[in-house]
Amino acid sequence: MSEVNSSEHVGRWTRFVTARPRLALLAALVITALAVFAGSGVADRMGSGGWEAPDAESTYTTQVLEREFPDSQPNLLLLVDGGAASVDDPAVAAEADRLTERLSAEPGIAGVGSYWRTKSPALRSTDGHEAIVAARIEGDEKGAGEILDRIAPAYRGTHGPVEVSVGGPVAVRHEMQSIIQEDLLRAELIALPVTLVLLVMVFGSAIAALLPLGVGIVAILGTNAVLRGITEFTDVSVFAQNLTTALGLGLAIDYALFIVRRFREELAAGADTRVAIGTTLRTAGRTVLFSALTVAVSLAAMMVFPQYFLRSFAYAGIAVVLLAAAAALILLPAALMLLGPRVNSLDLRRLLRRRGKTASSPAEAGEGPGRGWARFSVLVMRRAPVFAVVTTVGLVLLGLPFLGVKFGTADDRQLPATAESRVVQEHIRAGFPGSPGGGLEVLAEGAATPDQYAAFRERVAALPGVQRVDGPVTTGGSAYYDVLPEGEAVGQGAQDLVRELRAEPAPFDTAVTGAAAVLVDSKAAIVDRLPWAVGIIVVVTLLLVFLLTGSVLIPLQAVVLNALSLTAMFGAVVWVFQDGNLSGFLSFTSTGDIETTLPVLMFCVAFGLSMDYGVFLLSRIKEEYDRTGDHEHAVTFGLRHTGGLITAAAVILAVVMVAIGTSRVTNTKMLGLGIALAVLMDAMVVRSLLVPAVMKLMGRVTWWAPAPLRAFHQRFGLSEGESAAAVERDAEGADGAEGADGEGGNRARDKVTAGA
């Protein structure tokens, strides 16, 4: 858009959001109350899975086996402990048979089997004191969870001579969902008061500090309502609620910090309330909108993946980003219109100042342009080659552990060690032969003779890495085999065996499923779609940053430096969560691998947040460069006016992410702590050291673009800087609407530059 058209649009927007501020806030209150009602119970409608690719061979095979051979896919396990007695003791066996019969009669239960019925050695512990009753709960995740809630209390506990514990995949998912909900509530109770304290420290004013918090709460509640609606049409992961809380608070606070800070800056420069709001929306407001688009695009890239775990974060992320931006650009200006200079009220820091000293400017209040940041930027640019090389090398070294990453699947070890379903799985893993549930199932479809079935079984048994083959179990025109791999259930050997089984010739159609098969298919789906996701993020980022700066080189620089800011996060994920360093301190169990979808999720979220801070800095540098044409001065000016703001925003967002990282579920812990590290590294290292050093080394060529692109930017580009005449014109146009609510203050007559 041209500068004139841009000014007209922003002027109309200013008049719209300030004409009826009380009405706008009342409408927001009503909508938020409705969102609370609409979003209630959303967590109960979410799933705790979603790592499987829905169009994969393993998914198809699992669905067929569930339908044709329900007892081949048990998802409910009762661990029966005979205590000092053997599981073959008559009293123990009689009680176990009664439990098995009772479970078989439960509605929604199919395929019930047990050691006492089958005498399968895989269902009896090696010490002979524990055995398993296995069954399948029918229905989707939500329905299975409801059935588990209904029947589990009746089976858990002491039954005559035996003690029963409830486990299996359904119990693991259900317990994980409950723990995540509890942990999320605790994280909110931690993050909200700490965030408020930090905001008071940043702003001084308690009134100003409450505004970003209010914007965040509106964004979170609104997103919960959106997710509740999405669950009516598709599956949504319960993990997405963590992102809703983190981004809802973090981004809303970022946007509100930027807007409130610029508004106070304009007031301190002598503007009245309405002019200050107009300038703020024209400058910081457009940057907020631009930033929201870049973050939303990074999160939207997860829509290209088939796993609903990743798609859920796209749903939640896009909704919360857009709602946070909308609240910051609609509700916040209305609140500022009503408050005016009273936004600086209740200055809680004055007790910390020396007696007789008052803050006469935002700079003295600790939020305005900082001389320390200006001196720091000069120092960095004076030694630009040193800072650029040392910082880059340091970031690369921090990322080196990621070269040894091993991918796996999430299992019960995500849960705390005391969780019942994990205890059951630990007993099975350590005490039962062949690790029940860790095998592979080979589905055979098509007519075949007994000899053909037997010949295929012999060929499978002869494959390297096969410990045992059971079956075939036949029905109609299909059959299945249980194949137990040697070593770990999802180790490299098991994954190689999946490929061997799929390549094995047979006189019928075959398909393979099991934990290792799901992992192989999940990795293939991610590798297949990852170039598209990265391409979308990079191309749209390049375009948006070009529209903001008019430079061809700055967008390339932004993409490269953003990627560098993520190296520490990825290195730490492997060093800590895969290799197990600090596992005792952080209270988690290392499985020796990383869940396949987590790095993709963390990349999209962290890259978007890095762009958020990058846009804040680049927009201010661009504004000053347009005004003065002095490249080095513009870099110093940008860092001086945004360095403290970006650091404060990063610390607050990191606090929220660390609160999420206190979760007892390992994947949530990894997500929260990893992104907190990425945010801090981006704000305190990349934006403070690497960006000014690289821009100094590039010099004025930083702003180069070929003539056709310069013309394109002049017509369609965006910029924070506007003329004083535009500010005055919008203010005069706004005066006509001022009297409606009677809270306008003085008529706008001041000419305020956008760079004030």
Side-chain angles (χ1 to χ4, degrees):
M1 66 184 71
S2 68
E3 183 174 324
V4 174
N5 289 336
S6 174
S7 299
E8 291 175 352
H9 291 321
V10 177
R12 287 196 295 269
W13 184 250
T14 302
R15 292 191 289 273
F16 172 75
V17 298
T18 59
R20 298 288 188 275
R22 286 194 177 91
L23 182 60
L25 293 177
L26 178 61
L29 182 62
V30 172
I31 293 172
T32 303
L34 292 174
V36 172
F37 174 76
S40 61
V42 62
D44 295 332
R45 300 182 59 84
M46 292 179 164
S48 53
W51 293 285
E52 306 88 357
D55 56 350
E57 177 181 318
S58 57
T59 304
Y60 165 79
T61 309
T62 298
Q63 292 170 348
V64 174
L65 290 174
E66 288 175 357
R67 184 178 66 250
E68 302 294 336
F69 306 95
D71 53 346
S72 72
Q73 298 287 299
N75 55 15
L76 174 64
L77 302 178
L78 301 184
L79 181 66
V80 181
D81 185 353
S86 166
V87 294
D88 295 312
D89 181 272
V92 172
E95 184 60 37
D97 278 334
R98 281 193 292 270
L99 288 171
T100 304
E101 288 295 331
R102 182 179 168 189
L103 186 61
S104 299
E106 296 280 0
I109 300 294
V112 180
S114 70
Y115 162 72
W116 295 273
R117 286 187 174 182
T118 66
K119 297 301 179 180
S120 169
L123 300 179
R124 181 181 184 272
S125 65
T126 53
D127 65 7
H129 294 289
E130 294 176 324
I132 293 173
V133 177
R136 175 157 196 85
I137 300 180
E138 297 178 320
D140 58 15
E141 285 185 21
K142 182 177 182 296
E146 292 173 350
I147 293 174
L148 180 69
D149 277 337
R150 174 173 55 82
I151 68 173
Y155 292 89
R156 180 184 294 120
T158 303
H159 296 265
V162 303
E163 187 76 20
V164 179
S165 301
V166 180
V170 166
V172 170
R173 288 197 299 265
H174 195 60
E175 199 160 6
M176 187 179 297
Q177 190 168 6
S178 299
I179 290 174
I180 287 173
Q181 292 180 46
E182 295 170 4
D183 290 348
L184 184 58
L185 177 60
R186 188 183 69 249
E188 291 170 346
L189 294 176
I190 294 171
L192 287 173
V194 175
T195 297
L196 181 59
V197 170
L198 291 174
L199 287 170
V200 170
M201 293 174 63
V202 171
F203 283 123
S205 162
I207 298 298
L210 287 171
L211 293 175
L213 211 57
V215 171
I217 291 172
V218 169
I220 292 171
L221 295 176
T223 302
N224 283 338
V226 171
L227 291 178
R228 174 63 177 79
I230 293 175
T231 60
E232 295 289 339
F233 306 100
T234 188
D235 293 321
V236 179
S237 172
V238 70
F239 286 94
Q241 274 203 304
N242 295 290
L243 186 70
T244 296
T245 296
L247 290 186
L249 280 177
L251 289 178
I253 288 169
D254 284 358
Y255 299 157
L257 272 173
F258 205 56
I259 287 175
V260 173
R261 177 191 181 278
R262 188 62 181 253
F263 176 72
R264 296 176 77 185
E265 195 175 316
E266 297 301 325
L267 289 180
D272 77 354
T273 299
R274 199 177 293 273
V275 171
I277 290 175
T279 303
T280 298
L281 289 178
R282 179 177 296 104
T283 55
R286 264 197 301 202
T287 300
V288 164
L289 180 60
F290 206 85
S291 172
L293 290 175
T294 60
V295 178
V297 166
S298 294
L299 296 172
M302 287 185 283
M303 292 287 289
V304 306
F305 296 100
Q307 295 94 332
Y308 86 74
F309 175 79
L310 288 174
R311 297 171 71 90
S312 298
F313 285 92
Y315 305 146
I318 294 171
V320 77
V321 168
L322 297 182
L323 285 171
L329 295 174
I330 299 174
L331 304 183
L332 193 54
L336 294 174
M337 186 67 200
L338 293 175
L339 288 171
R342 288 174 295 178
V343 72
N344 297 315
S345 300
L346 298 179
D347 188 350
L348 302 181
R349 295 187 313 189
R350 64 178 180 273
L351 298 176
L352 302 178
R353 301 190 187 105
R354 287 178 297 181
R355 190 171 185 176
K357 182 178 179 180
T358 59
S360 59
S361 71
E364 292 175 2
E367 55 141 335
R371 296 176 182 175
W373 282 101
R375 290 195 295 268
F376 182 73
S377 67
V378 171
L379 172 64
V380 170
M381 288 192 287
R382 187 179 299 141
R383 300 285 186 269
V386 174
F387 279 103
V389 171
V390 171
T391 304
T392 301
V393 171
L395 290 172
V396 170
L397 290 176
L398 288 174
L400 287 180
F402 193 72
L403 296 177
V405 66
K406 299 176 183 177
F407 294 109
T409 56
D411 60 22
D412 58 279
R413 287 170 290 182
Q414 293 282 315
L415 295 171
T418 56
E420 181 189 20
S421 59
R422 175 175 172 177
V423 171
V424 170
Q425 297 303 125
E426 292 281 12
H427 274 259
I428 294 173
R429 199 162 25 241
F432 284 72
S435 183
L440 300 171
E441 290 83 35
V442 181
L443 174 67
E445 294 183 293
T449 66
D451 289 342
Q452 288 175 319
Y453 282 136
F456 181 74
R457 182 182 184 279
E458 293 302 320
R459 289 201 303 273
V460 169
L463 292 174
V466 174
Q467 181 176 330
R468 190 179 74 243
V469 180
D470 296 327
V473 177
T474 62
T475 179
S478 58
Y480 80 93
Y481 302 81
D482 271 325
V483 181
L484 184 64
E486 296 175 348
E488 297 181 8
V490 293
Q492 189 56 51
Q495 295 177 54
D496 292 339
L497 180 57
V498 170
R499 299 182 182 95
E500 292 284 347
L501 289 170
R502 289 175 173 173
E504 185 67 25
F508 35 70
D509 294 329
T510 61
V512 182
T513 189
V518 170
L519 175 58
V520 169
D521 291 339
S522 180
K523 290 198 295 186
I526 288 175
V527 169
D528 182 56
R529 308 293 179 87
L530 188 60
W532 288 98
V534 173
I536 290 170
I537 292 174
V538 170
V539 169
V540 177
T541 297
L542 292 174
L543 176 61
L544 290 176
V545 177
F546 170 76
L547 290 175
L548 178 68
T549 63
S551 164
V552 170
L553 299 180
I554 289 180
L556 296 173
Q557 169 194 304
V559 169
V560 172
L561 297 189
N562 276 10
L564 275 175
S565 72
L566 308 184
T567 54
M569 175 185 73
F570 284 124
V573 160
V574 171
W575 189 78
V576 175
F577 290 95
Q578 176 180 295
D579 299 342
N581 297 292
L582 304 180
S583 59
F585 175 73
L586 296 176
S587 301
F588 71 92
T589 300
S590 173
T591 59
D593 52 45
I594 302 298
E595 203 285 315
T596 314
T597 59
L598 257 294
V600 175
L601 168 63
M602 297 174 75
F603 169 79
C604 292
V605 174
F607 190 93
L609 293 175
S610 297
M611 280 305 305
D612 187 44
Y613 299 136
V615 166
F616 287 170
L617 176 59
L618 290 173
S619 63
R620 209 64 191 265
I621 293 175
K622 170 65 174 172
E623 175 186 348
E624 187 65 8
Y625 181 75
D626 286 345
R627 191 178 71 85
T628 65
D630 187 329
H631 174 68
E632 290 189 27
H633 166 73
V635 175
T636 300
F637 180 91
L639 197 60
R640 176 177 180 177
H641 282 254
T642 64
L645 175 68
I646 290 174
T647 302
V651 168
I652 292 171
L653 180 56
V655 165
V656 177
M657 296 307 305
V658 168
I660 297 294
T662 62
S663 173
R664 293 166 290 169
V665 176
T666 304
N667 274 358
T668 305
K669 189 187 298 289
M670 187 191 310
L671 177 67
L673 298 181
I675 293 179
L677 177 61
V679 165
L680 293 175
M681 291 297 293
D682 181 75
M684 297 182 177
V685 177
V686 173
R687 303 300 153 201
S688 302
L689 299 175
L690 205 49
V691 169
V694 170
M695 294 192 82
K696 165 65 176 178
L697 292 174
M698 293 175 66
R700 289 178 60 88
V701 74
T702 297
W703 306 100
W704 176 83
L709 290 181
R710 285 201 305 271
F712 179 86
H713 179 263
Q714 289 172 359
R715 179 170 178 78
F716 298 105
L718 300 174
S719 172
E720 277 208 358
E722 295 288 355
S723 65
V727 177
E728 184 177 8
R729 181 178 66 248
D730 293 342
E732 290 173 348
D735 282 343
E738 183 178 3
D741 283 331
E743 59 283 277
N746 296 326
R747 293 290 192 257
R749 292 294 181 264
D750 297 316
K751 293 184 178 181
V752 182
T753 65

